[in-house]
Amino acid sequence: MQFGVFTVGDVTVDPTTGRLPSEHERIKAMVAIALKAEEVGLDVFATGEHHNPPFVPSSPTTMLGHIAARTERLLLSTSTTLITTNDPVKIAEDYAMLQHLADGRVDLMMGRGNTGPVYPWFGQDIRNGIPLAIEHYDLLHRLWREDVVDWKGRFRTPLQSFTSTPRPLDGVPPFVWHGSIRSPEIAEQAAYYGDGFFANHIFWPKEHTQRMVALYRQRYAHYGHGTADQAIVGLGGQVFMRRNSQDAVREFRPYFDNAPVYGHGPSLEEFTRETPLTVGSPQQVIDRTLSFREYVGDYQRQLFLMDHAGLPLKTVLEQLDLLGEEVVPVLRKEFDSLRPAHVPEAPTHASLLAAAGGAKDSTVHAVDDVTGKAPEEAR
């Protein structure tokens, strides 16, 4: 099972000091968090994609490429790649390039995001959100698997004899998760392609997540990819820890109360009772996270949000120490001991490569327009 952290890259005032970090500080902090994640033995670092204040991660591949050069083992991912407002051709090219630079340590999560105004900024209509997600991913899926694509759709210009470059590393496209909080259509899409389904699992009660994952599992089996319990599931979550649970609650409360996404609403106590948010000791985080399996089944990836709501970098790095040293080793052991042998592990480039029968040179050489031959043949 894979454990890691994801960030939304918000630039938020620290409510305890009134200090607002600069964009430069926040970007550098995200890199520091990724490096710390590898240091403490986590598996995954994932960044969101946003194009509006107060968020800074507008170019995930730039950030992940930089992190790839400074890490050796960490799997680099996204906590949202905007499949609706990005051109699927550019996604195909950018993430294939990142895959080569990172020697395969790349996957990505498709999503629609939660910022309505982003649609017109990129020439789209939010009312087409679901159709855009379906059509754009259909094209992206083909671009990574077919050397030459002829395509016509509703939302972008047609493609004629188009080849996206570079081709995926070893002929194996990056693994894709489809992320959703509330849309059953996205669970259906993930199941149709046999891709992973990632339930954000932060803002909603467990019964909602349970229904979404159950739908995905049922449809995954329907499309013949395996049994329902072999479907590839990921969960998000948010935790805040101190060795003493009362200290954790006292320290985190002002951040929760002023957080852009859930501040000034239900109390911290209500939110931790009704959603998976866990504020307490490392043992409480372990117990709460292990309970997720009771209602979603065996799953493959658990990502934690650690740096939200204005928490200073020093505090976040302390959280990662606790997560890597005290929480994840126990979770890893417990989840692995409970997982039946027929339930797959989280996909990696190595496992996908083995399933494909080994690496191949996927380079596509252009044909000369005059001679009709490949360049080396025309000489």
Side-chain angles (χ1 to χ4, degrees):
M1 185 166 172
Q2 294 172 344
F3 295 92
V5 292
F6 71 101
T7 179
V8 295
D10 60 309
V11 180
T12 304
V13 172
D14 183 333
T16 67
T17 65
R19 185 178 184 280
L20 179 68
S22 68
E23 291 181 332
H24 179 76
E25 288 177 302
R26 189 67 172 98
I27 291 167
K28 291 291 190 176
M30 293 165 66
V31 174
I33 290 166
L35 300 182
K36 185 70 170 182
E38 176 162 279
E39 176 190 321
V40 301
L42 302 184
D43 304 304
V44 183
F45 171 81
T47 176
E49 179 186 346
H50 295 275
H51 298 275
N52 58 293
F55 304 100
V56 293
S58 58
S59 181
T61 53
T62 303
M63 171 168 283
L64 294 178
H66 176 72
I67 294 170
R70 301 185 62 184
T71 55
E72 297 179 356
R73 184 188 53 81
L74 195 65
L75 183 58
L76 308 172
S77 189
T78 57
S79 46
T80 302
T81 296
L82 298 178
I83 188 63
T84 46
T85 49
N86 279 309
D87 183 356
V89 171
K90 198 69 171 71
I91 294 176
E93 295 174 337
D94 284 351
Y95 284 92
M97 177 66 77
L98 177 61
Q99 188 192 33
H100 282 271
L101 292 172
D103 294 322
R105 293 185 289 128
V106 173
D107 62 28
L108 63 163
M109 185 193 308
M110 301 298 171
R112 291 178 292 136
N114 56 9
T115 307
V118 72
Y119 285 82
W121 296 340
F122 290 87
Q124 301 293 355
D125 186 331
I126 193 172
R127 292 170 294 185
N128 295 326
I130 293 292
L132 277 165
I134 293 171
E135 180 177 296
H136 278 186
Y137 185 65
D138 172 69
L139 175 55
L140 175 62
H141 192 268
R142 289 185 57 191
L143 288 169
W144 274 338
R145 289 163 175 82
E146 300 175 28
D147 289 342
V148 180
V149 173
D150 292 297
W151 179 90
K152 184 177 182 181
R154 174 183 171 192
F155 297 110
R156 78 174 314 282
T157 53
L159 297 174
Q160 295 181 343
S161 301
F162 179 78
T163 299
S164 69
T165 59
R167 304 303 298 147
L169 177 64
D170 299 323
V172 177
F175 185 75
V176 169
W177 303 81
H178 298 258
S180 180
I181 297 176
R182 61 187 178 274
S183 302
E185 296 93 338
I186 302 305
E188 176 78 17
Q189 183 183 37
Y192 176 81
Y193 289 100
D195 294 337
F197 178 66
F198 190 92
N200 191 298
H201 202 220
I202 289 182
F203 305 117
W204 292 67
K206 65 181 183 181
E207 292 79 10
H208 173 78
T209 299
Q210 183 180 34
R211 288 192 295 270
M212 290 286 285
V213 172
L215 171 63
Y216 161 67
R217 290 188 183 278
Q218 175 190 359
R219 301 301 290 170
Y220 183 95
H222 168 79
Y223 288 115
H225 301 298
T227 60
D229 60 350
Q230 291 177 317
I232 308 299
V233 174
L235 295 182
Q238 183 172 4
V239 299
F240 186 86
M241 295 174 284
R242 290 302 183 199
R243 298 191 185 282
N244 182 289
S245 60
Q246 289 81 10
D247 291 340
V249 171
R250 181 173 59 254
E251 185 175 347
F252 188 66
R253 187 181 299 280
Y255 295 97
F256 175 88
D257 288 345
N258 293 278
V261 294
Y262 47 47
H264 312 290
S267 69
L268 175 59
E269 287 73 18
E270 291 173 309
F271 215 87
T272 52
R273 183 176 62 249
E274 298 297 331
T275 79
L277 172 64
T278 308
V279 180
S281 67
Q283 187 60 51
Q284 286 174 303
V285 171
I286 291 169
D287 293 341
R288 188 72 175 279
T289 306
L290 287 172
S291 74
F292 299 163
R293 181 180 178 274
E294 298 172 5
Y295 55 89
V296 301
D298 291 290
Y299 63 109
Q300 283 77 14
R301 175 175 285 186
Q302 175 68 57
L303 300 184
F304 296 101
L305 178 62
M306 309 293 288
D307 65 334
H308 178 55
L311 287 165
L313 177 60
K314 177 178 180 294
T315 301
V316 176
L317 298 181
E318 293 168 350
Q319 295 290 302
L320 290 173
D321 278 328
L322 289 171
L323 189 67
E325 294 170 7
E326 300 190 24
V327 174
V328 165
V330 178
L331 290 176
R332 199 185 301 280
K333 180 180 178 180
E334 292 296 321
F335 276 116
D336 286 349
S337 69
L338 294 168
R339 179 178 294 107
H342 71 281
V343 174
E345 297 180 354
T348 64
H349 184 73
S351 67
L352 296 173
L353 191 59
K360 67 175 183 179
D361 181 2
S362 55
T363 304
V364 174
H365 298 282
V367 173
D368 186 277
D369 288 338
V370 176
T371 66
K373 299 179 179 180
E376 61 271 20
E377 297 173 346
R379 295 191 185 101

